[in-house]
C-alpha cells in the first residue's frame, strides 16, 4: 500500500525459541522455565520488537498451531501481546477453535491469531477494554475478564 512506510516500521519473524531470545531479547531463563508458548514470552516479544525496530507499538504472537502440542500446551493455545509507549505490554489468550486436525486446522488457527492480534492492537490504540487477558505469570486465563 503506498505510504505505509510512514506508519509501519517493519516486522520480525522469530519462529524458533532460539531466535525469540536472540532477535527479540526474550530472557533465556523465561524460555527455559516456561517454554516459548507463555504470556510472559508474548509480552517480552512485543516489547523486544518495539524496541529493536524503534516503533511506537510492537505486536507479537506465540502459540501452538499444531499438529502437535508444544511445551505442554494444547493445539490452539495462543498468546498475543502488544507493547506501546504507555508502559507494560497487554497480553491476551484468545479462545481459538480447533476445527479438526492437520493443515486445515493449522491454517484456521493461524488466521484467527492474526485477527486477534490486529483486534488487540486496535483496542489498545483506541483505549478500549481488552478481554481474554492472560494474567501476569501465566495463570489460568480462560475466564473472560477486563484488564
Amino acid at each position: 500500500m503506498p505510504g505505509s512506510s510512514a506508519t509501519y516500521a517493519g516486522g520480525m519473524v522469530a519462529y524458533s525459541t532460539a531466535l525469540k531470545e536472540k532477535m527479540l531479547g526474550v530472557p533465556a531463563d523465561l524460555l527455559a522455565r516456561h517454554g516459548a508458548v507463555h504470556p510472559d514470552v508474548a509480552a517480552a516479544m512485543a516489547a523486544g520488537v518495539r524496541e529493536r525496530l524503534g516503533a511506537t507499538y510492537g505486536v507479537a504472537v506465540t502459540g501452538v498451531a499444531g499438529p502437535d502440542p508444544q511445551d505442554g500446551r494444547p493445539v490452539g493455545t495462543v498468546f498475543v501481546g502488544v507493547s506501546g509507549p504507555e508502559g507494560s505490554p497487554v497480553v491476551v489468550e484468545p479462545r481459538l477453535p480447533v476445527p479438526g486436525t492437520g493443515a486445515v486446522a493449522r491454517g484456521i488457527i493461524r488466521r484467527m491469531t492474526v485477527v486477534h492480534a490486529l483486534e488487540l492492537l486496535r483496542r489498545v490504540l483506541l483505549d478500549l477494554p481488552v478481554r481474554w487477558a492472560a494474567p501476569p505469570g501465566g495463570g489460568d486465563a480462560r475466564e473472560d475478564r477486563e484488564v
Side-chain angles (χ1 to χ4, degrees):
M1 173 181 265
S4 62
S5 63
T7 58
Y8 180 73
M12 300 173 88
V13 177
Y15 194 76
S16 75
T17 301
L19 285 181
K20 287 175 175 57
E21 178 185 353
K22 184 176 180 178
M23 289 177 59
L24 299 174
V26 178
D29 64 320
L30 174 62
L31 292 165
R33 194 170 52 252
H34 296 293
V37 183
H38 190 271
D40 294 345
V41 173
M45 290 172 62
V49 74
R50 177 178 173 260
E51 176 186 312
R52 281 158 176 74
L53 295 179
T56 307
Y57 289 89
V59 179
V61 301
T62 186
V64 185
D68 300 314
Q70 180 183 341
D71 298 330
R73 305 272 188 181
V75 173
T77 302
V78 171
F79 297 101
V80 179
V82 171
S83 175
E86 303 79 38
S88 298
V90 176
V91 178
V92 299
E93 181 184 11
R95 296 179 186 193
L96 298 183
V98 182
T101 61
V104 171
R106 185 174 167 81
I108 291 170
I109 291 167
R110 290 168 62 186
R111 284 190 295 278
M112 291 301 298
T113 299
V114 171
V115 168
H116 282 281
L118 293 174
E119 176 61 13
L120 178 59
L121 177 60
R122 184 185 79 85
R123 288 182 167 278
V124 168
L125 289 171
L126 296 175
D127 199 28
L128 297 173
V130 175
R131 296 197 174 274
W132 308 295
D140 184 12
R142 290 297 181 175
E143 283 188 37
D144 288 358
R145 64 184 180 89
E146 293 183 12
V147 292

